Amino acid sequence: VDQYLSRESQKLVDPNRGPLLNPEELREFFAEVAELMHDSAQRELEHADLVMCAQLVIGSDALESVRPGLTRRLSSLCGFGVEGGAATTGKFYFAHEVMFDCFLSLALQRKVNGSKSADSWAAFFSKGKIHPAAVDWLVDRMPEAAAALLRKLQSVALNVSAYSENVGFLWGSLCKASNNV
């Protein structure tokens, strides 16, 4: 992932100003995109959604003033495929499912230490199935935070299959990480 982000950020360069997004900003951008896709329960976004995610990462609604040229370049990132239209009218999706899983895991890692309530996490975990690999990566990188997240989720009882499955993945991953204890 780090190699991919480094390579992609080198493609996003304004000859007069330098990088439009550095590797860390690109990581945050893709994590925002994956989280938005998960929250909307759709694996595709419109160009306006890509722009919104970039604005969140940059911290400005005036994206073109802060990073001229970035708006039109977002749709040409290597990790995206486009369906049904041109660069600003189509639906964008991650070209490879593993990229979605990876960046959703990064979004989880970024948010897991936050102050989200148990109900907020339960809503996130009930939106749709989270691939077990994304959960494994969270547990591998942040085992204590993942264990604290599981404790929060155990306090919420939801009769939603995606929620049960995702909490089960988290629990199973934590068990594997602690030699099945």
Side-chain angles (χ1 to χ4, degrees):
V1 171
D2 290 336
Q3 290 174 346
Y4 167 75
L5 293 171
S6 178
R7 186 183 74 232
E8 281 302 299
S9 70
Q10 292 172 8
K11 294 178 185 177
L12 288 171
V13 177
D14 179 312
N16 301 319
R17 294 183 175 214
L20 295 173
L21 289 174
N22 65 40
E24 186 56 37
E25 290 169 331
L26 196 55
R27 175 189 313 274
E28 292 297 314
F29 170 74
F30 281 129
E32 287 289 343
V33 167
E35 185 177 357
L36 184 58
M37 286 178 173
H38 178 76
D39 283 345
S40 68
Q42 295 186 19
R43 297 286 177 98
E44 58 186 24
L45 298 175
E46 295 180 2
H47 188 265
D49 298 319
L50 299 180
V51 171
M52 180 189 67
C53 290
Q55 290 171 332
L56 288 170
V57 170
I58 300 301
S60 173
D61 289 341
L63 192 59
E64 280 304 302
S65 297
V66 178
R67 307 278 171 95
L70 180 57
T71 301
R72 68 177 166 74
R73 301 280 304 275
L74 290 173
S75 60
S76 64
L77 290 169
C78 177
F80 288 132
V82 64
E83 182 177 293
T88 57
T89 60
K91 298 278 189 173
F92 298 90
Y93 56 90
F94 282 105
H96 301 285
E97 192 68 20
V98 73
M99 290 179 68
F100 171 81
D101 296 332
C102 179
F103 289 112
L104 184 60
S105 182
L106 288 172
L108 281 167
Q109 292 169 36
R110 190 181 66 208
K111 294 186 175 302
V112 75
N113 285 327
S115 60
K116 279 187 144 185
S117 69
D119 289 334
S120 177
W121 276 112
F124 184 86
F125 269 62
S126 65
K127 294 280 183 182
K129 182 179 177 184
I130 300 171
H131 195 281
V135 176
D136 286 343
W137 294 327
L138 168 66
V139 170
D140 183 54
R141 296 245 175 148
M142 306 177 80
E144 295 85 17
L149 174 58
L150 178 62
R151 286 190 295 277
K152 279 184 183 181
L153 291 168
Q154 287 173 317
S155 69
V156 178
L158 282 180
N159 191 15
V160 177
S161 65
Y163 174 77
S164 300
E165 206 170 352
N166 291 332
V167 172
F169 292 149
L170 179 57
W171 199 330
S173 186
L174 284 164
C175 285
K176 277 191 302 189
S178 64
N179 295 319
N180 295 320
V181 175

PDB file of all heavy atoms in Angstrom, residues 118 122 147-158 163 167 170-171 174:
ATOM      1  N   ALA A 118     -20.775   3.436  21.345  1.00  0.00           N
ATOM      2  CA  ALA A 118     -21.070   2.050  20.971  1.00  0.00           C
ATOM      3  C   ALA A 118     -22.159   2.011  19.903  1.00  0.00           C
ATOM      4  O   ALA A 118     -22.080   1.230  18.944  1.00  0.00           O
ATOM      5  CB  ALA A 118     -21.487   1.254  22.203  1.00  0.00           C
ATOM      6  N   ALA A 122     -21.870   0.502  16.232  1.00  0.00           N
ATOM      7  CA  ALA A 122     -22.824  -0.535  15.834  1.00  0.00           C
ATOM      8  C   ALA A 122     -23.466  -0.182  14.498  1.00  0.00           C
ATOM      9  O   ALA A 122     -23.659  -1.050  13.635  1.00  0.00           O
ATOM     10  CB  ALA A 122     -23.883  -0.721  16.912  1.00  0.00           C
ATOM     11  N   ALA A 147      -9.571  -4.554  20.645  1.00  0.00           N
ATOM     12  CA  ALA A 147     -10.209  -5.218  21.791  1.00  0.00           C
ATOM     13  C   ALA A 147     -11.174  -4.264  22.496  1.00  0.00           C
ATOM     14  O   ALA A 147     -12.277  -4.664  22.907  1.00  0.00           O
ATOM     15  CB  ALA A 147      -9.153  -5.727  22.766  1.00  0.00           C
ATOM     16  N   ALA A 148     -10.786  -3.007  22.633  1.00  0.00           N
ATOM     17  CA  ALA A 148     -11.682  -2.015  23.241  1.00  0.00           C
ATOM     18  C   ALA A 148     -12.925  -1.812  22.370  1.00  0.00           C
ATOM     19  O   ALA A 148     -14.039  -1.662  22.886  1.00  0.00           O
ATOM     20  CB  ALA A 148     -10.948  -0.689  23.438  1.00  0.00           C
ATOM     21  N   LEU A 149     -12.745  -1.830  21.054  1.00  0.00           N
ATOM     22  CA  LEU A 149     -13.875  -1.710  20.141  1.00  0.00           C
ATOM     23  C   LEU A 149     -14.824  -2.892  20.305  1.00  0.00           C
ATOM     24  O   LEU A 149     -16.044  -2.714  20.360  1.00  0.00           O
ATOM     25  CB  LEU A 149     -13.387  -1.624  18.699  1.00  0.00           C
ATOM     26  CG  LEU A 149     -14.449  -1.636  17.604  1.00  0.00           C
ATOM     27  CD1 LEU A 149     -15.434  -0.492  17.767  1.00  0.00           C
ATOM     28  CD2 LEU A 149     -13.785  -1.579  16.232  1.00  0.00           C
ATOM     29  N   LEU A 150     -14.293  -4.084  20.425  1.00  0.00           N
ATOM     30  CA  LEU A 150     -15.140  -5.264  20.626  1.00  0.00           C
ATOM     31  C   LEU A 150     -15.952  -5.127  21.913  1.00  0.00           C
ATOM     32  O   LEU A 150     -17.149  -5.425  21.927  1.00  0.00           O
ATOM     33  CB  LEU A 150     -14.311  -6.547  20.658  1.00  0.00           C
ATOM     34  CG  LEU A 150     -15.113  -7.823  20.909  1.00  0.00           C
ATOM     35  CD1 LEU A 150     -16.134  -8.055  19.799  1.00  0.00           C
ATOM     36  CD2 LEU A 150     -14.176  -9.019  21.047  1.00  0.00           C
ATOM     37  N   ARG A 151     -15.328  -4.646  22.973  1.00  0.00           N
ATOM     38  CA  ARG A 151     -16.070  -4.455  24.236  1.00  0.00           C
ATOM     39  C   ARG A 151     -17.229  -3.469  24.039  1.00  0.00           C
ATOM     40  O   ARG A 151     -18.322  -3.678  24.565  1.00  0.00           O
ATOM     41  CB  ARG A 151     -15.126  -3.992  25.344  1.00  0.00           C
ATOM     42  CG  ARG A 151     -14.220  -5.094  25.862  1.00  0.00           C
ATOM     43  CD  ARG A 151     -13.458  -4.691  27.118  1.00  0.00           C
ATOM     44  NE  ARG A 151     -12.511  -3.610  26.894  1.00  0.00           N
ATOM     45  CZ  ARG A 151     -11.274  -3.778  26.420  1.00  0.00           C
ATOM     46  NH1 ARG A 151     -10.842  -4.971  26.095  1.00  0.00           N
ATOM     47  NH2 ARG A 151     -10.484  -2.733  26.263  1.00  0.00           N
ATOM     48  N   LYS A 152     -16.980  -2.402  23.274  1.00  0.00           N
ATOM     49  CA  LYS A 152     -18.060  -1.447  22.989  1.00  0.00           C
ATOM     50  C   LYS A 152     -19.185  -2.126  22.217  1.00  0.00           C
ATOM     51  O   LYS A 152     -20.363  -1.964  22.534  1.00  0.00           O
ATOM     52  CB  LYS A 152     -17.544  -0.268  22.151  1.00  0.00           C
ATOM     53  CG  LYS A 152     -16.853   0.805  22.914  1.00  0.00           C
ATOM     54  CD  LYS A 152     -16.491   1.937  21.961  1.00  0.00           C
ATOM     55  CE  LYS A 152     -15.728   3.021  22.683  1.00  0.00           C
ATOM     56  NZ  LYS A 152     -15.390   4.131  21.783  1.00  0.00           N
ATOM     57  N   LEU A 153     -18.808  -2.884  21.197  1.00  0.00           N
ATOM     58  CA  LEU A 153     -19.811  -3.522  20.338  1.00  0.00           C
ATOM     59  C   LEU A 153     -20.604  -4.595  21.085  1.00  0.00           C
ATOM     60  O   LEU A 153     -21.773  -4.831  20.779  1.00  0.00           O
ATOM     61  CB  LEU A 153     -19.141  -4.112  19.098  1.00  0.00           C
ATOM     62  CG  LEU A 153     -18.604  -3.088  18.109  1.00  0.00           C
ATOM     63  CD1 LEU A 153     -17.714  -3.755  17.072  1.00  0.00           C
ATOM     64  CD2 LEU A 153     -19.738  -2.328  17.454  1.00  0.00           C
ATOM     65  N   GLN A 154     -19.999  -5.236  22.056  1.00  0.00           N
ATOM     66  CA  GLN A 154     -20.696  -6.271  22.815  1.00  0.00           C
ATOM     67  C   GLN A 154     -21.806  -5.700  23.689  1.00  0.00           C
ATOM     68  O   GLN A 154     -22.703  -6.420  24.097  1.00  0.00           O
ATOM     69  CB  GLN A 154     -19.706  -7.057  23.680  1.00  0.00           C
ATOM     70  CG  GLN A 154     -18.832  -7.981  22.874  1.00  0.00           C
ATOM     71  CD  GLN A 154     -17.754  -8.632  23.718  1.00  0.00           C
ATOM     72  OE1 GLN A 154     -17.120  -7.990  24.552  1.00  0.00           O
ATOM     73  NE2 GLN A 154     -17.543  -9.911  23.487  1.00  0.00           N
ATOM     74  N   SER A 155     -21.763  -4.404  23.911  1.00  0.00           N
ATOM     75  CA  SER A 155     -22.807  -3.786  24.737  1.00  0.00           C
ATOM     76  C   SER A 155     -24.057  -3.457  23.931  1.00  0.00           C
ATOM     77  O   SER A 155     -25.055  -3.014  24.485  1.00  0.00           O
ATOM     78  CB  SER A 155     -22.275  -2.523  25.412  1.00  0.00           C
ATOM     79  OG  SER A 155     -22.059  -1.501  24.456  1.00  0.00           O
ATOM     80  N   VAL A 156     -24.009  -3.679  22.617  1.00  0.00           N
ATOM     81  CA  VAL A 156     -25.132  -3.362  21.745  1.00  0.00           C
ATOM     82  C   VAL A 156     -25.680  -4.659  21.161  1.00  0.00           C
ATOM     83  O   VAL A 156     -24.937  -5.475  20.634  1.00  0.00           O
ATOM     84  CB  VAL A 156     -24.680  -2.431  20.591  1.00  0.00           C
ATOM     85  CG1 VAL A 156     -25.835  -2.136  19.661  1.00  0.00           C
ATOM     86  CG2 VAL A 156     -24.085  -1.149  21.137  1.00  0.00           C
ATOM     87  N   ALA A 157     -26.970  -4.823  21.280  1.00  0.00           N
ATOM     88  CA  ALA A 157     -27.610  -6.009  20.703  1.00  0.00           C
ATOM     89  C   ALA A 157     -28.421  -5.581  19.488  1.00  0.00           C
ATOM     90  O   ALA A 157     -29.424  -4.892  19.621  1.00  0.00           O
ATOM     91  CB  ALA A 157     -28.511  -6.670  21.738  1.00  0.00           C
ATOM     92  N   LEU A 158     -27.964  -5.978  18.329  1.00  0.00           N
ATOM     93  CA  LEU A 158     -28.679  -5.686  17.086  1.00  0.00           C
ATOM     94  C   LEU A 158     -28.998  -6.991  16.384  1.00  0.00           C
ATOM     95  O   LEU A 158     -28.163  -7.884  16.319  1.00  0.00           O
ATOM     96  CB  LEU A 158     -27.811  -4.840  16.145  1.00  0.00           C
ATOM     97  CG  LEU A 158     -27.673  -3.364  16.425  1.00  0.00           C
ATOM     98  CD1 LEU A 158     -26.777  -2.724  15.376  1.00  0.00           C
ATOM     99  CD2 LEU A 158     -29.015  -2.670  16.426  1.00  0.00           C
ATOM    100  N   TYR A 163     -24.157  -6.901  11.075  1.00  0.00           N
ATOM    101  CA  TYR A 163     -23.579  -6.536  12.369  1.00  0.00           C
ATOM    102  C   TYR A 163     -23.025  -7.777  13.071  1.00  0.00           C
ATOM    103  O   TYR A 163     -21.874  -7.792  13.512  1.00  0.00           O
ATOM    104  CB  TYR A 163     -24.638  -5.842  13.240  1.00  0.00           C
ATOM    105  CG  TYR A 163     -24.173  -5.566  14.646  1.00  0.00           C
ATOM    106  CD1 TYR A 163     -23.316  -4.506  14.897  1.00  0.00           C
ATOM    107  CD2 TYR A 163     -24.578  -6.356  15.715  1.00  0.00           C
ATOM    108  CE1 TYR A 163     -22.872  -4.239  16.185  1.00  0.00           C
ATOM    109  CE2 TYR A 163     -24.143  -6.099  17.003  1.00  0.00           C
ATOM    110  CZ  TYR A 163     -23.289  -5.039  17.229  1.00  0.00           C
ATOM    111  OH  TYR A 163     -22.847  -4.786  18.497  1.00  0.00           O
ATOM    112  N   VAL A 167     -19.037  -8.307  13.821  1.00  0.00           N
ATOM    113  CA  VAL A 167     -18.564  -8.439  15.203  1.00  0.00           C
ATOM    114  C   VAL A 167     -17.917  -9.812  15.381  1.00  0.00           C
ATOM    115  O   VAL A 167     -16.883  -9.944  16.052  1.00  0.00           O
ATOM    116  CB  VAL A 167     -19.709  -8.210  16.222  1.00  0.00           C
ATOM    117  CG1 VAL A 167     -19.256  -8.535  17.637  1.00  0.00           C
ATOM    118  CG2 VAL A 167     -20.192  -6.760  16.149  1.00  0.00           C
ATOM    119  N   LEU A 170     -14.456  -9.647  14.034  1.00  0.00           N
ATOM    120  CA  LEU A 170     -13.578  -8.946  14.968  1.00  0.00           C
ATOM    121  C   LEU A 170     -13.195  -9.858  16.121  1.00  0.00           C
ATOM    122  O   LEU A 170     -12.027  -9.964  16.500  1.00  0.00           O
ATOM    123  CB  LEU A 170     -14.263  -7.665  15.483  1.00  0.00           C
ATOM    124  CG  LEU A 170     -13.481  -6.835  16.493  1.00  0.00           C
ATOM    125  CD1 LEU A 170     -12.117  -6.409  15.950  1.00  0.00           C
ATOM    126  CD2 LEU A 170     -14.304  -5.622  16.907  1.00  0.00           C
ATOM    127  N   TRP A 171     -14.171 -10.535  16.671  1.00  0.00           N
ATOM    128  CA  TRP A 171     -13.921 -11.435  17.788  1.00  0.00           C
ATOM    129  C   TRP A 171     -12.976 -12.562  17.357  1.00  0.00           C
ATOM    130  O   TRP A 171     -11.995 -12.880  18.032  1.00  0.00           O
ATOM    131  CB  TRP A 171     -15.229 -12.023  18.292  1.00  0.00           C
ATOM    132  CG  TRP A 171     -15.193 -12.585  19.669  1.00  0.00           C
ATOM    133  CD1 TRP A 171     -14.126 -13.144  20.317  1.00  0.00           C
ATOM    134  CD2 TRP A 171     -16.263 -12.646  20.585  1.00  0.00           C
ATOM    135  NE1 TRP A 171     -14.479 -13.553  21.557  1.00  0.00           N
ATOM    136  CE2 TRP A 171     -15.784 -13.260  21.752  1.00  0.00           C
ATOM    137  CE3 TRP A 171     -17.595 -12.259  20.527  1.00  0.00           C
ATOM    138  CZ2 TRP A 171     -16.605 -13.496  22.851  1.00  0.00           C
ATOM    139  CZ3 TRP A 171     -18.399 -12.489  21.629  1.00  0.00           C
ATOM    140  CH2 TRP A 171     -17.906 -13.089  22.780  1.00  0.00           C
ATOM    141  N   LEU A 174      -9.423 -11.277  16.900  1.00  0.00           N
ATOM    142  CA  LEU A 174      -8.766 -11.061  18.197  1.00  0.00           C
ATOM    143  C   LEU A 174      -8.363 -12.385  18.828  1.00  0.00           C
ATOM    144  O   LEU A 174      -7.287 -12.490  19.423  1.00  0.00           O
ATOM    145  CB  LEU A 174      -9.682 -10.266  19.127  1.00  0.00           C
ATOM    146  CG  LEU A 174      -9.766  -8.775  18.828  1.00  0.00           C
ATOM    147  CD1 LEU A 174     -10.960  -8.141  19.519  1.00  0.00           C
ATOM    148  CD2 LEU A 174      -8.470  -8.075  19.220  1.00  0.00           C
TER     149      LEU A 174
END
